[in-house]
Structures are given as C-alpha cells and as structure tokens.
Amino acid sequence: MSRRGEFDLIAELFAPLAASTPGAYGLTDDAAVLEVPAGRSLVATTDAIVAGVHFLADDPPDLVARKLVRVNLSDLAAMGATPWGMLLTACLPRDVDDPWLESFAAGLKADRAEFGVDLIGGDTVATPGPATFSLTALGLVPTGTALLRRGACVGDVIVVSGTIGDAALGLKACRGSLGVAAAEARFLIDRYRLPQPRLGLGPRLIGLAHACLDVSDGLLQDLGHVCTLAGLGAGLGAGLGADLKADLIPLSPAARAAIVSAPERMESVLAGGDDYELLFTIAPEDMGRVESAAAIAGVAVTAIGRMVAAPGVRVLDADGGDVTPARRGYRHFGPETAEGKRQ
Ligand code: ADP
Ligand code: MG
C-alpha cells in the first residue's frame, strides 16, 4: 500500500520529470500549455499496457515504465518525428506499494534523460482492476513531411533497421530455455524488455522513405499494412505486394544461435512482434543515402526485399521457393491465436 496520496505521488515522483517544460507548470495546474513552433506539426500517439497482459506483476517496474515510454517514442520515430513531451495515465490498484511506484518513476526518469523528453501531464486514479498505464507521446515534425505507412511504390527496396526477431525469441527465453548460452538468452530478453526507439534514424528518413512504420506486431503483418495502404490513392484496390528474401533478414548472433538449435523458430522471427525496428521502403538509388543516414544514427540498415505489383507478402528462400509461414503476427482481437505477446 502506498503511503502517498495521489497529490504527493504527483509532486514527489512525477513533477521533477516536468522541470524542462515551463508550460507544464511543475504539474501544479490543470493542464500544460504548449506552443507548436512555426513550421512544425504536432504528432500524437498513445499506447496502453495492462498488468497480466503486457507485463507481469513481478517484472522490474523501471523496465515496465521504460518499455511504455519506448514503444510510444518508436511510433514517433516511425513518423519521422522528434519527441516533444509525454502524458501518463496511471490506473493503480490500491495495494500498489511505494517501492514499486518509486522504481516505475525511476524508469521514467531514466528515459526522460536518455531521450530528452519531459513528462508534462497525466492522470492518476485508483482501479479495482489490474494496474494499467497509458502513455501519450507528443512529437514534432516539419509540416508536410511526416513519414506515413502509405506511399510504397512497385520496385521500392524494403529496408529494416537493426535486427529482427530478438524480442520474440527473448519472450520465449523469459518463458523457458532456448538452449542457447546464458549471455545470448540475456541479450534476447533485454531486447524484449527494453526496445530501442530509432529516433536517430526516423527523422533522417524524411525525403527518402516512401512508406515507414515500426515493427510492433510482427514483420510480415506490419509489412502487410504497407502493402495494403500502398493501394490507397494509387487506384490499386488490393494494394501492392512484397517479396522478402529470408536469408537477407538481419539476425543478431543470439537469434542465429537460437534458430540453429531449432529452425522452426524462424517463424517467430518473421511473425513475432515487439522488435520496434523501423521498416521502410525507398527508391533503389537512395540506398547509399539511407546507409549514410543510418551510420550517423548509429544503427544498421538492411535491404530485405522489394515491393512488387502482385498483392500479398511472400517470403522466398535462396532458390526463390516460397517459404511464407501461415502465421503473420500478433492480434489483440480476432480469429488468429496469439503467441507473440504476453497473455
Ligand atoms: P485534475 O483533477 O484537474 O485533472 P489532477 O489532480 O488529476 O488534476 O492533476 C494535477 C496535475 O498533475 C495535472 O497537471 C496533471 O496533468 C498532472 N498529473 C496527474 N497525474 C499524472 C501522472 N500520472 N503523470 C504525470 N502528470 C500527472
Ligand atoms: Mg485528475
């Protein structure tokens, strides 16, 4: 049980995180007042997490908070935006204790420092249900330049940042042994618990990426969105398709080790969620510029396939054989059974 009431909680744990934003008035007023700079557009996104669904009661609270921040900042990166502020709704069971809340706030503080983004407001309520947090992230992008999921063209090269599949394998490692070395299992679990929003890369893709999103629900499913939306405005009802080369998909050494010991895990790499890498399409002649941007951002980029006219996402092996798995990715609702995230 917290000894703090709602107001002490805000004043002691959250108000220090608003210190760099004068318009947040130290979280003492009803709302924050912000001035969008001339020539910029506001980008807004929100994500919610529920205890028992997206995190477990015994997960380290600071990592729960940091992942919540990061999944939102990843959406900003995918739009080409730079973080500007965040708002947190905390729905807390009455039995939440002070060490848990202090650790959660320490996680917010760490990522506020790492990404230079203040907590400028929110709400704090008690709930009879499981702990639930919703974070809203605000970002800025030069007006008219936001990276959208629509816009991919036939012939575009499909590019991903970083490595794919670590988080899905990390979730498996949380649940049981993967049969890999301890250091490799730790790496994969870290990638699951602490994703890295590609904020250095996203804004640098403005003017280069025709379509962009972050991979949060599985590479194949998210690429499917890019394909479907490519039809919008182009008069292509069914959208476009994507041909991926399985052996080009960038894997970390730890993921490679996990797949060597059980090749069927490649399906988790392709359909598992939570990578929070950027997936985007570019004109082939721009790959050099994208590689330069990625080098400045300090992240690898890899071309993994091409946009094609025939609708649908296909995965091809080295001989051109179709090895597309049946499972595409994670859905919160709907007919497909979910394996990708915590239930
Ligand atoms: P009101 O009742 O007018 O909504 P609150 O007492 O809920 O005001 O909030 C007071 C201030 O504290 C507001 O600026 C609000 O944005 C901020 N705040 C409340 N809860 C949080 C939270 N979980 N994280 C960040 N700021 C918060
Ligand atoms: Mg309130």
Side-chain angles (χ1 to χ4, degrees):
M1 185 75 79
S2 173
R3 65 170 173 77
R4 293 187 180 92
E6 173 193 346
F7 300 111
D8 291 340
L9 183 66
I10 295 167
E12 291 173 28
L13 296 185
F14 296 148
L17 310 183
S20 305
T21 306
Y25 298 104
L27 303 184
T28 57
D29 219 308
D30 289 313
V33 182
L34 306 170
E35 214 71 54
V36 178
R40 308 267 148 172
S41 292
L42 181 67
V43 179
T45 183
T46 198
D47 259 296
I49 54 171
V50 179
V53 181
H54 304 92
F55 66 96
L56 298 179
D58 59 358
D59 281 347
D62 55 332
L63 293 185
V64 172
R66 296 177 81 183
K67 183 159 182 176
L68 179 61
V69 169
R70 287 160 182 242
V71 300
N72 277 283
L73 297 187
S74 176
D75 280 325
L76 295 183
M79 302 298 289
T82 301
W84 198 39
M86 45 191 187
L87 298 108
L88 173 71
T89 297
C91 308
L92 303 170
R94 292 190 186 279
D95 64 357
V96 68
D97 60 18
D98 282 311
W100 200 97
L101 289 172
E102 284 158 14
S103 173
F104 186 87
L108 294 177
K109 183 178 173 191
D111 274 1
R112 168 183 183 255
E114 182 155 348
F115 301 110
V117 58
D118 265 11
L119 180 66
I120 60 168
D123 201 14
T124 306
V125 298
T127 174
T132 301
F133 299 93
S134 171
L135 193 126
T136 299
L138 305 178
L140 296 175
V141 67
T143 297
T145 69
L147 303 176
L148 304 179
R149 292 179 172 191
R150 64 196 63 192
C153 307
V154 172
D156 275 3
V157 175
I158 300 163
V159 184
V160 289
S161 65
T163 54
I164 297 295
D166 296 327
L169 294 168
L171 176 56
K172 280 189 194 293
C174 288
R175 290 170 168 168
S177 173
L178 280 183
V180 298
E184 289 170 333
R186 236 185 346 265
F187 169 86
L188 295 170
I189 290 170
D190 279 355
R191 288 273 288 160
Y192 169 70
R193 285 191 165 159
L194 201 61
Q196 195 60 46
R198 299 304 184 189
L199 290 160
L201 181 61
R204 290 192 168 87
L205 295 177
I206 290 173
L208 292 171
H210 295 162
C212 183
L213 51 60
D214 64 329
V215 179
S216 57
D217 290 332
L219 179 69
L220 298 186
Q221 183 165 301
D222 287 327
L223 181 53
H225 298 318
V226 169
C227 290
T228 308
L229 288 166
L232 285 183
L236 301 165
L240 297 179
D243 283 354
L244 293 187
K245 295 263 181 59
D247 52 355
L248 294 183
I249 291 168
L251 302 176
S252 65
R256 224 171 259 289
I259 290 166
V260 165
S261 67
E264 70 278 5
R265 288 181 181 145
M266 192 61 194
E267 184 173 309
S268 298
V269 168
L270 295 168
D274 279 321
D275 285 316
Y276 299 101
E277 294 295 348
L278 296 184
L279 171 74
F280 51 98
T281 83
I282 59 167
E285 61 270 24
D286 283 334
M287 190 63 193
R289 293 168 69 195
V290 167
E291 281 169 342
S292 303
I296 296 168
V299 58
V301 286
T302 309
I304 59 171
R306 286 280 187 143
M307 294 300 296
V308 297
V313 177
R314 284 161 297 274
V315 185
L316 307 175
D317 66 15
D319 304 320
D322 193 328
V323 292
T324 313
R327 188 169 71 90
R328 293 291 164 111
Y330 179 80
R331 288 176 189 219
H332 295 267
F333 302 100
E336 287 181 25
T337 51
E339 192 221 331
K341 295 197 179 174
R342 279 198 169 135
Q343 297 289 317

